[in-house]
């Protein structure tokens, strides 16, 4: 069998669905960020797959590189914020961090 | 006929690694296991990049995600966990809504992926891409490239300031004695 773009899209759909489930159901803020990483990986995989199978040029891969970069920057800041939330609330449960002024 | 079979086997190996790890991240009750499953997912996606002859993106994926992001996640899990009972360290809520969203996403996008008539190329390009990416980054994408470097600097400073905490800031400014950050002594 030859691998077509639909097979690649199936992988990225599974990654997207798992990430969405993670973001919706998790209470731990770190696990929630893991779901966001899954969604970003699905988007990057789509970009690279379309750049190979549909357009045939390099633009999709450059966009995927920028996506990886943005994901790394987002993770750094988000995890630093989670660390501060843990210092302030002694928990990272997103259901219990509901006070603006403690 | 042997080469397509081999390539399909390579594809499915990486695809199943990525998909199984992603589902494990979504459903695991142990957050340390979820963090390590994320490693498998990142490696699977990197293998798929290599399969798509996007060699540079694949290497960058391994370096940035596995070498950087995943280490950060593991540090965050260890620092914020207070993991007394690892089996229950990753609680969930609203499971029915999450499952419905997951199944609707899978069904709808899966239907679209297989029924849309994609305008695919007759022959797919292969070969190394690093020099083309370098040309693109210093040619038409020079402005996003430079903005990205400023963004990385901002993220670096923001991460240091936020994670450094109150004590580090008062030492920098020499202002009034701020409250020292609470030591999380209970995470042994």
């Amino acid at each position: 069998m030859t691998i077509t773009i639909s097979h690649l899209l199936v992988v990225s759909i599974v990654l997207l669905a798992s990430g969405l489930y993670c973001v919706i159901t998790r209470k731990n803020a770190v696990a929630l960020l893991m779901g966001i990483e899954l969604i970003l990986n699905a988007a990057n995989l789509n970009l690279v797959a379309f750049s190979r199978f549909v357009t045939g040029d390099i633009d999709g891969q450059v966009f995927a590189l920028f996506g990886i970069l943005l994901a790394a920057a987002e993770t750094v800041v988000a995890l630093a914020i989670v660390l501060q939330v843990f210092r302030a609330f002694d928990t990272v449960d997103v259901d219990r961090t509901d006070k603006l002024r403690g | 006929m042997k080469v397509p079979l081999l390539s399909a086997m390579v594809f499915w190996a990486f695809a199943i690694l990525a998909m199984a790890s992603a589902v494990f991240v979504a459903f695991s009750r142990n957050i340390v296991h979820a963090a390590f499953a994320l490693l498998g997912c990142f490696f699977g996606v990197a293998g798929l990049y290599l399969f798509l002859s996007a060699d540079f993106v694949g290497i960058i994926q391994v370096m940035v995600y596995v070498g950087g992001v995943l280490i950060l996640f593991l540090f965050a899990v260890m620092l914020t966990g207070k993991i007394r009972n690892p089996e229950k360290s990753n609680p969930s809520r609203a499971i029915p809504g999450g499952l419905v969203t997951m199944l609707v996403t899978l069904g709808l996008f899966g239907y679209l992926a297989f029924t849309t008539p994609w305008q695919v190329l007759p022959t797919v390009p292969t070969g190394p891409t690093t020099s083309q990416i370098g040309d693109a980054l210093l040619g038409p994408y020079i402005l996003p490239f430079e903005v990205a470097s400023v963004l990385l600097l901002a993220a670096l400073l923001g991460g240091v300031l936020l994670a450094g905490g109150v004590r580090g800031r008062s030492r920098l400014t020499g202002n009034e004695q701020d409250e020292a950050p609470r030591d999380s002594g209970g995470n042994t």
Side-chain angles (χ1 to χ4, degrees):
Chain A
M1 69 185 286
T2 37
I3 302 299
T4 62
I5 188 164
S6 299
H7 299 94
L8 264 304
L9 290 181
V10 165
V11 180
S12 97
I13 289 165
V14 171
L15 258 64
L16 170 71
S18 306
L20 275 178
Y21 179 83
C22 222
V23 170
I24 290 174
T25 60
R26 287 305 186 209
K27 293 170 114 176
N28 190 326
V30 181
L32 213 140
L33 286 170
M34 287 182 194
I36 295 177
E37 290 301 316
L38 286 180
I39 294 175
L40 288 167
N41 259 294
N44 287 336
L45 190 59
N46 262 3
L47 285 171
V48 175
F50 276 104
S51 103
R52 171 167 158 115
F53 283 108
V54 177
T55 65
D57 55 13
I58 208 74
D59 290 344
Q61 295 189 25
V62 177
F63 267 82
L65 280 178
F66 283 122
I68 291 174
L69 185 150
L70 286 176
E74 170 259 332
T75 307
V76 169
V77 177
L79 286 179
I81 290 173
V82 167
L83 224 59
Q84 283 297 91
V85 166
F86 180 71
R87 281 191 192 136
F89 289 92
D90 235 0
T91 178
V92 287
D93 188 337
V94 289
D95 283 343
R96 284 164 58 194
T97 54
D98 51 0
K99 261 187 224 155
L100 271 182
R101 190 183 169 84
Chain B
M1 214 48 220
K2 275 179 85 86
V3 175
L5 182 66
L6 190 65
S7 109
M9 279 170 58
V10 170
F11 168 78
W12 284 115
F14 285 123
I16 288 172
L17 174 66
M19 289 192 288
S21 307
V23 173
F24 191 85
V25 171
F27 287 99
S28 170
R29 297 178 63 82
N30 185 332
I31 192 166
V32 184
H33 288 179
F36 279 105
L38 206 60
L39 173 79
C41 182
F42 290 158
F43 264 124
V45 174
L48 288 177
Y49 288 155
L50 295 182
F51 174 81
L52 292 169
S53 70
D55 48 356
F56 187 71
V57 184
I59 298 299
I60 292 296
Q61 163 96 358
V62 171
M63 281 172 61
V64 173
Y65 271 111
V66 180
V69 171
L70 196 78
I71 303 294
L72 273 179
F73 268 110
L74 284 174
F75 265 111
V77 167
M78 305 289 174
L79 282 176
T80 63
K82 280 196 174 174
I83 301 173
R84 294 255 166 65
N85 188 359
E87 296 301 319
K88 291 180 185 163
S89 57
N90 201 3
S92 302
R93 62 172 157 77
I95 291 179
L99 278 180
V100 166
T101 310
M102 189 177 186
L103 291 179
V104 167
T105 308
L106 281 176
L108 192 63
F109 286 142
Y111 174 77
L112 284 179
F114 278 102
T115 56
T116 309
W118 303 110
Q119 305 283 325
V120 294
L121 296 174
T123 57
V124 289
T126 53
T129 59
T130 312
S131 65
Q132 296 177 51
I133 288 178
D135 285 341
L137 279 182
L138 293 182
Y141 291 100
I142 181 77
L143 182 62
F145 185 66
E146 296 294 335
V147 172
S149 72
V150 177
L151 173 84
L152 275 183
L153 181 65
L156 178 76
L157 291 178
V160 168
L161 268 183
L162 278 173
V166 189
R167 191 161 42 181
R169 208 181 327 150
S170 72
R171 194 189 301 146
L172 275 182
T173 58
N175 279 347
E176 76 272 9
Q177 186 69 32
D178 284 325
E179 178 189 330
R182 214 174 304 161
D183 274 337
S184 51
N187 56 0
T188 52

